[in-house]
Structure formats: C-alpha cells, structure tokens
C-alpha cells in the first residue's frame, strides 16, 4: 500500500492535511520535521508533504530539513511554509510580502500544470501568509498567481517537486480536494486503496503478531473508541483478551448497565465490571484544575487495571482506545502545541506493570473509527454512541466534583440527549452534551428566590474533531431542553448554550 509522509512544521491546519489525503484513499502519517533521514528512509514514503508553519524561512533557527530529502526521488508537495522552505533550501529566495494575504483570495493558474488538472482557471483559495517566494530555485517555474503573489503555485515537474502558497486542505479553497487528488493520483500515480477493510485486516494481523501468545487487558471505557478497539483485538486474539470495564462513578445516566449489556451482546465476550467509583471520587475530592483531574484519572485507571490483572495472573499487554487526535492534541504526533493531556496518552503514570501498551486505533480519526466499527460488525447503536471522554463527567463538571453535582449533570445531560434524538438530529450533530458550570446565580421559581447552578449545553458539527463548528440547533429544541432541565432537574435555574467553535475553544469544556 502506498503511503505519504506529512512533515509537520507546526501550522494550524496540519491535521487537515493528513485528513484530506486519507479521504482520497491514500494512507499517510504525520511526523515532526525534526526526524532525521534515517527515520524518513525507514518509513519509506512514496510521497512527502511539507505543511505550513508559523516560522519565517530566512530567520535564525527557522525549521530546516536535511537536503537529502530532495534526493529521495519521491514527489514532494510544499504547502505555504513548506513551499517557501523548498525554495529557500534549493537555491531560491523568499521575502516579506509587500501585501500580506489572509483569507479568501482569487487565484488564477495557467492551465499547464498537472496540479490544476480539471480546475477552473480562476477561483477562490485560502491564503495565510506574510512571506512569499521572491526568486525561484533552478528548475522551477510559476504555474499560478494572485494579484499580490506572483508565485502562488510553482513546480519542477522533472523532479516532481511542487509548491503552493495557499492551503488546499481547508474547505475555503474551492478546489482544494481536487488539487490534492491531482497530486496523489496524477503526479504520484497512486490509486485509492486506503479503506477500513484494508486497515482492519492489517491491524488485526499486526496485533496478532505483536501479542503472540500473550494476554491482553483492555480498558473498556464505554465510549466508541474502546468498543471498536475491543472488537478488533477480539478478532485478533480471541480469548487472550480480557475486557475490564471500570465504573469510575463518572459515567452518564444508566451508562454502565447499557455498555455492559451492549458489549456482551455485540462481541459475545466476558467483561469484568469493577465498581471503583468511591476510589475515584475520593482522589478527585477538592480538585478543580482540569489537567490535574486528567492525571489523577489516568493514574487511577492504571492502578485499577494493575490490581485486576494480578487477580487474573500474568497479563502482558494493556490495550487502549487512543485515536489520532488524542495523540496530536497531547503533543506527541507532530509539532503541534500540547492542547490538553489525554488520560490514555499523556495522563498515564511513568511506571506501569505491563510489558507494553497496545493502541490499535492510534492512527485513526474519529470518523474512521466509526467506519472501522461498522466493518467489524458492531451494532449501529454502539458505533454511533455519543463520543465520551475517558475522564467522563469529571471534565464536564467545572470545578470541584461531588456526587450531588454528578447526579445533577447526569439528569440534565440525559434530557438534552433525549430531545436531540427526538428531533432526529443525533447523526447531523456530531457531539452534544451538557456540562455543569461552577456558576451559581439568582433565579425565581414558584415565587421564591433560588440560588442554583447554570447548566451549559454544547453541540458541535465536525468531520475529524480537530476543528469543529457550533451547531445551529433549532430554537424550539433549545427552548424545550431548557424548560425540561429547569423544571425537572433540582438545583438548576439557568441553561446556557455554548456558541464557540474549535478553535479557539475545544469540544470539551475542560
């Protein structure tokens, strides 16, 4: 199977680059630009993409690459900073733009490059730069321009080196997907072969070889990711897998019973359910800082698994449902800044009593995980469960956590999810939930003064959970939800709706 290496220079759209390549049916992985040539050769890419980034190529300490990367003989596409770096390192020059371009810009190509095959001559592209190419490197020529940028797209077709100043990976670039397809199909000669069917067979075999005759303990959290990981591992090693479902007291309403029942029915496997709610809530008592909550939960998860593993005898591997956005947001997948630690990525204690951690979904985006779940035969109801973070309601109760607050939130969240489903929006809204703020305010109910909590509702629409837009839910739905929560849930007198997209916010409140 052909594969693309995406070298990450720290730009804001870098996960989208990988996402778009995979949508074209071509497998790719993101690596930080700092990796050496030995690692690049070991990955053996069939093509390389240089992403954008915030640096300026001609400044001291700007990110650079080993020039040997240009001698590998594989096609390379440089995007924004990636284009500038290519020119800078191959004998050309860049300069600060006289007119900086940000946002939607009209671009015209000359019709001679395979990169723009089938693309109308002039259309809208997304720009985000204050530096541009001043002088081309030997062998390159300009193939597209804007009113302010003479080298909006360039190529050295003989060496199959291409650069674009715009961002084809964002949806604002009208023909962005077509341009990426042209690079992959027409220039690189690839065919769409990355699919969940192929990934499933490869991942199953990979897990089977890695685990051998060892025993695996899976952290079954109740979310989609861990359920799909369980299905894949069960296909790989069968009874060598033991699933432990830890009820940490931070689950949604009735979720423990629902998950246990669904997984037994779907997978036909035994599940050990551990009630550790008292243990978790004791450790979390008085803790208000979100990262501290995540670290505590990650550590307690491991300790519970260690204790259960000892009861089972020798267990060699710990399996987790870590997915690609978890890895990147934790700062481990490229040059992106750490946004938040994930309990199954950066939140684990340094010492664990397992030989190794198995993460069969580590390379997948959320929608790919769902597609894999369908491929593995999991029931639709389970695959399309609302995403639920490992730390559970701990990061949806803002501030300190108490049993009373958790019960308030469970009831409010259940009402919200029920009404969204009644409205037939459970598939069009990718994630929706309630959070309990630590804001208390004055209200009036039954002619009496109240001083109770405010519940925040959050609903977003997204393809990959790396970026997300707030969902424009119907006012009638929000009105119904608000009335029900205030009327049916004790100690709540106000309901708020979060209309912030990601970025600048994250999907979860903490």
């Amino acid at each position: 199977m052909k594969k693309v290496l995406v070298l990450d220079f720290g730009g804001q759209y870098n996960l989208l680059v990988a996402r778009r390549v995979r949508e074209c049916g071509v497998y790719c992985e993101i690596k930080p630009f700092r990796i050496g040539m030995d690692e690049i050769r070991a990955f053996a890419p069939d093509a390389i993409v240089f992403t954008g980034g915030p640096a300026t190529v001609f400044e001291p300490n700007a990110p650079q690459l080993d020039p040997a990367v240009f001698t590998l003989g594989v096609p390379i596409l440089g995007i924004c900073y990636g284009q500038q770096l290519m020119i800078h390192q191959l004998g050309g020059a860049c300069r600060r733009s006289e007119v900086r371009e940000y946002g939607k810009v009209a671009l015209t190509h000359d019709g001679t490059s395979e990169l723009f095959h089938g693309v109308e001559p002039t259309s809208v592209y997304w720009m985000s730069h204050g530096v541009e190419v001043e002088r081309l490197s030997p062998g390159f020529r300009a193939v597209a321009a804007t009113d302010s940028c003479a080298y909006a797209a360039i190529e050295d077709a003989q060496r199959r080196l291409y650069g674009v100043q715009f961002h084809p990976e964002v949806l604002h670039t009208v023909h962005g997907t077509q341009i990426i397809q042209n690079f992959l199909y027409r220039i690189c000669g690839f065919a769409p072969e990355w699919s969940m069917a192929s990934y499933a067979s490869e991942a199953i075999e990979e897990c089977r070889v890695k685990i051998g005759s060892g025993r695996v303990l899976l952290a079954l959290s109740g979310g989609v990711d861990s359920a799909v990981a369980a299905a894949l591992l069960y296909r790989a090693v069968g009874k060598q897998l033991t699933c432990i479902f830890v009820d940490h007291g931070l689950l949604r309403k009735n979720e423990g019973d629902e998950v246990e029942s669904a997984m037994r029915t779907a997978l036909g496997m035994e599940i050990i359910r551990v009630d550790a709610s008292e243990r978790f809530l004791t450790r979390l008592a008085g803790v208000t800082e979100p990262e501290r909550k995540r670290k505590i939960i990650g550590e307690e998860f491991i300790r519970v698994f260690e204790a259960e593993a000892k009861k089972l005898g020798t267990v060699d591997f710990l399996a987790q449902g870590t997915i690609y956005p978890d890895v990147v947001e934790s700062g481990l997948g490229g040059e992106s800044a750490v946004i938040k630690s994930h309990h199954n990525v950066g939140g684990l204690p340094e010492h664990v009593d397992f030989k190794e951690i198995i993460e069969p979904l580590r390379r997948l985006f959320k929608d790919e995980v769902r597609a894999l779940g369908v491929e593995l035969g999991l029931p639709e109801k389970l695959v399309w469960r609302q995403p639920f973070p490992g730390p559970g309601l701990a990061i949806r109760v803002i501030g300190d956590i108490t049993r009373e607050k958790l019960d308030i939130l469970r009831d409010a969240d259940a009402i919200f999810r029920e009404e969204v489903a009644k409205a037939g929006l459970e598939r069009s809204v990718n994630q929706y939930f309630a959070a309990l703020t630590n804001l208390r305010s004055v209200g009036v109910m039954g002619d009496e003064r109240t001083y109770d909590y405010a519940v925040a509702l959050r609903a977003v629409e997204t393809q990959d959970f790396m970026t997300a837009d707030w969902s424009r839910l119907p006012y009638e739905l929000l009105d119904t939800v608000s009335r029900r929560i205030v009327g049916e849930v004790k100690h709540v007198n106000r309901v708020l709706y979060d209309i912030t997209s990601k970025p600048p916010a994250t999907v979860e409140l903490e």
Side-chain angles (χ1 to χ4, degrees), residues 220-254:
L220 188 62
S221 69
V224 174
D225 302 336
S226 63
V228 174
L232 190 147
L233 285 165
Y234 193 64
R235 286 275 193 94
V237 297
K239 298 297 184 180
Q240 292 169 238
L241 171 67
T242 299
C243 284
I244 294 183
F245 176 34
V246 175
D247 186 344
H248 48 24
L250 304 167
L251 298 172
R252 292 172 287 200
K253 192 169 185 177
N254 301 323

Side-chain angles (χ1 to χ4, degrees), residues 143-347:
V143 296
T146 70
D147 288 343
S148 303
C149 181
Y151 302 113
I154 59 175
E155 71 171 32
D156 179 340
Q158 184 174 353
R159 289 189 288 175
R160 294 189 296 175
L161 302 179
Y162 296 80
V164 294
Q165 186 59 69
F166 57 87
H167 288 273
E169 70 273 22
V170 302
L171 296 179
H172 303 297
T173 295
V174 176
H175 299 290
T177 298
Q178 179 66 49
I179 290 167
I180 292 173
Q181 287 178 341
N182 286 340
F183 175 72
L184 296 172
Y185 302 159
R186 301 187 68 84
I187 293 169
C188 300
F190 300 161
E193 55 182 353
W194 161 252
S195 67
M196 282 305 102
S198 64
Y199 179 83
S201 60
E202 289 176 14
I204 288 169
E205 183 58 28
E206 183 179 303
C207 289
R208 187 175 290 138
V209 170
K210 190 171 190 177
I211 294 166
S213 60
R215 296 185 65 188
V216 187
L217 193 62
L218 173 70
L220 188 62
S221 69
V224 174
D225 302 336
S226 63
V228 174
L232 190 147
L233 285 165
Y234 193 64
R235 286 275 193 94
V237 297
K239 298 297 184 180
Q240 292 169 238
L241 171 67
T242 299
C243 284
I244 294 183
F245 176 34
V246 175
D247 186 344
H248 48 24
L250 304 167
L251 298 172
R252 292 172 287 200
K253 192 169 185 177
N254 301 323
E255 187 161 40
D257 294 338
E258 291 174 0
V259 168
E260 184 177 10
S261 174
M263 292 302 291
R264 288 182 190 278
T265 302
L267 300 178
M269 60 190 297
E270 287 301 312
I271 297 172
I272 298 173
R273 181 173 176 179
V274 182
D275 183 359
S277 56
E278 190 63 40
R279 175 174 179 163
F280 277 84
L281 294 180
T282 298
R283 280 291 313 276
L284 290 166
V287 177
T288 60
E289 205 277 316
E291 281 298 283
R292 183 64 185 142
K293 290 180 183 178
R294 291 176 181 273
K295 297 290 185 181
I296 288 172
I297 291 167
E299 182 175 332
E300 287 303 303
F301 258 103
I302 288 295
R303 298 309 166 216
V304 170
F305 289 134
E306 284 180 333
E308 292 301 320
K310 287 175 182 176
K311 297 177 186 177
L312 296 169
T314 302
V315 175
D316 306 287
F317 300 93
L318 171 66
Q320 298 184 143
T322 308
I323 65 174
Y324 211 13
D326 296 343
V327 174
V328 175
E329 287 192 337
S330 296
L332 302 177
E335 288 297 309
S336 302
V338 175
I339 299 169
K340 58 187 177 183
S341 66
H342 290 260
H343 82 283
N344 53 357
V345 182

Side-chain angles (χ1 to χ4, degrees), residues 290-493:
E291 281 298 283
R292 183 64 185 142
K293 290 180 183 178
R294 291 176 181 273
K295 297 290 185 181
I296 288 172
I297 291 167
E299 182 175 332
E300 287 303 303
F301 258 103
I302 288 295
R303 298 309 166 216
V304 170
F305 289 134
E306 284 180 333
E308 292 301 320
K310 287 175 182 176
K311 297 177 186 177
L312 296 169
T314 302
V315 175
D316 306 287
F317 300 93
L318 171 66
Q320 298 184 143
T322 308
I323 65 174
Y324 211 13
D326 296 343
V327 174
V328 175
E329 287 192 337
S330 296
L332 302 177
E335 288 297 309
S336 302
V338 175
I339 299 169
K340 58 187 177 183
S341 66
H342 290 260
H343 82 283
N344 53 357
V345 182
L348 296 176
E350 292 182 4
H351 173 70
V352 295
D353 290 341
F354 302 98
K355 181 190 300 182
E356 194 173 347
I357 292 177
I358 301 287
E359 297 171 315
L361 311 182
R362 190 181 179 88
R363 293 173 285 175
L364 301 184
F365 291 93
K366 175 66 78 173
D367 60 318
E368 292 174 321
V369 173
R370 294 193 192 280
L372 178 59
V374 172
E375 181 67 31
L376 292 169
L378 287 174
E380 190 172 281
K381 184 178 180 181
L382 190 62
V383 170
W384 287 97
R385 284 179 66 83
Q386 272 294 295
F388 193 56
L393 299 183
I395 56 172
R396 293 181 182 175
V397 171
I398 312 304
D400 67 310
I401 300 167
T402 66
R403 288 188 182 277
E404 180 189 42
K405 288 182 178 180
L406 290 168
D407 288 339
I408 291 170
L409 179 54
R410 285 189 185 99
D411 289 340
D413 181 71
I415 289 171
F416 186 31
R417 288 187 290 122
E418 179 185 330
E419 291 299 332
V420 170
K422 280 184 182 178
L425 298 175
E426 67 268 37
R427 289 289 184 88
S428 58
V429 183
N430 300 100
Q431 186 165 354
Y432 48 95
F433 58 88
L436 185 65
T437 74
N438 57 1
L439 169 68
R440 300 185 73 179
S441 63
V442 174
V444 56
M445 299 175 72
D447 295 327
E448 292 184 0
R449 178 185 183 276
T450 62
Y451 188 66
D452 282 325
Y453 290 105
V455 164
L457 305 179
R458 179 81 161 135
V460 300
E461 295 170 21
T462 177
Q463 288 185 324
D464 49 35
F465 285 87
M466 296 310 301
T467 61
D469 193 16
W470 64 276
S471 182
R472 276 66 170 173
L473 295 181
Y475 287 156
E476 294 79 6
L477 172 59
L478 292 173
D479 180 58
T480 299
V481 172
S482 177
R483 289 175 182 274
R484 282 196 61 192
I485 289 176
V486 173
E488 299 175 29
V489 182
K490 293 181 179 179
H491 306 299
V492 175
N493 65 2

